[in-house]
Amino acid sequence: MREKPYHLYVDSRERTLLLHSLVKLKNQLIQQGRYGDCVDEIIFKVANTPIKKVKIEYV
């Protein structure tokens, strides 16, 4: 059974924080002598995602 894809909507500040956190995680993995290839893929996906404007209505 295939898993349902999820979408994550973040603003520019949250996106920057996410990228910094992923880079920090990658550096920690490298210091421990572990591979950071999986984190590289996630960084690439986050950095190259198209920006989509979403209208938010507060009730």
Side-chain angles (χ1 to χ4, degrees), residues 6-28:
Y6 291 96
H7 298 279
L8 180 65
Y9 295 101
V10 295
D11 61 11
S12 61
R13 188 174 49 110
E14 293 170 337
R15 183 178 177 183
T16 303
L17 181 63
L18 180 61
L19 285 171
H20 284 290
S21 299
L22 288 170
V23 169
K24 187 176 180 180
L25 174 64
K26 181 184 173 197
N27 290 336
Q28 288 175 353

Side-chain angles (χ1 to χ4, degrees), residues 25-37:
L25 174 64
K26 181 184 173 197
N27 290 336
Q28 288 175 353
L29 290 174
I30 290 172
Q31 286 178 352
Q32 294 173 2
R34 298 166 62 187
Y35 291 108
D37 296 340

